[in-house]
Amino acid sequence: MEQGAQGSADTGTPWAAAGPAGPGVPAGRAQPRVPQQGGAVCGEHTHSEPPAPVVARARPMVQRASVRGQILDALRAALVAGDLRPGEVYSGPVLGERFGVSATPVREAMQQLALEGAVEVVPNRGFRVVERGVRELAELAEVRALIEIPVMLRLARTVPAERWAELRPLAEATVRAASSGCRATYAESDRGFHRAVLSLSGNEQLVQIAEDLHRRAQWPLVGGGPGLRGRADLVADAHEHSALLDALVARDLDVVRALVGEHVAGAAAAG
């Protein structure tokens, strides 16, 4: 894995929650002495001016969270593409150099991936990409089918045809993404289509669980490089989305059941 130029380090940490001593100052501690022009100190009384209030400027959290989110997305894409290989250990500083950021947001993103089961913490070394086998993929496919098939059968009975027509652009987008031959690009588009379909159920918890299972099913197997699933396989998989919409519009429950089962199982078999 190539390393990029060293990124800039963090500029500080956010203030603690405000206590009785003032905003950003823990309880029981004195006010910070902030030098002012002319030699006065914030919080001290002088003969020429009234006491000045202490204003603690907290570091904005939006920027930090945004960087962490971008790194998390990049790491997820690297996992799917095979750039982060199963069994390999990656350190925060090395990945930080690659992405041009400090090690802190990388470690925070890796901690999230550890919660998702993609990596495991290796003390004093970094994070090891989890090694998965065919059995785990088969189990994920079985659980996905148990969730998605009943939901889509219910939606086929209740959702009007015009709502399914609104999802045609997403199905077409998956074909374009598959045609690029990039596993990471297709994986994101594929999840987006399934998320849009399941969102019609109105059950956000179900959507989140299904997407987590879907994402985990997209991680590569041990020994499986980024080219394990070729462009033709991705395109064939993507075209099943349009076929599924046709069956949902026609309310053909048998075809819906067969397509969802085959689609989920096929993705697991391909790895």
Side-chain angles (χ1 to χ4, degrees), residues 162-187:
E162 55 268 23
R163 293 299 304 276
W164 296 124
E166 296 172 0
L167 301 186
R168 289 287 179 184
L170 289 177
E172 294 166 357
T174 65
V175 176
R176 292 193 297 272
S179 298
S180 72
C182 175
R183 282 176 58 112
T185 300
Y186 177 66

Side-chain angles (χ1 to χ4, degrees), residues 146-160:
L146 289 172
I147 293 176
E148 294 192 31
I149 290 178
V151 173
M152 291 196 188
L153 290 176
R154 174 164 60 86
L155 294 176
R157 299 185 187 98
T158 58
V159 174

Side-chain angles (χ1 to χ4, degrees), residues 106-119:
V106 174
R107 290 193 184 101
E108 292 172 345
M110 278 294 203
Q111 291 289 351
Q112 176 59 39
L113 289 179
L115 292 176
E116 296 175 4
V119 301

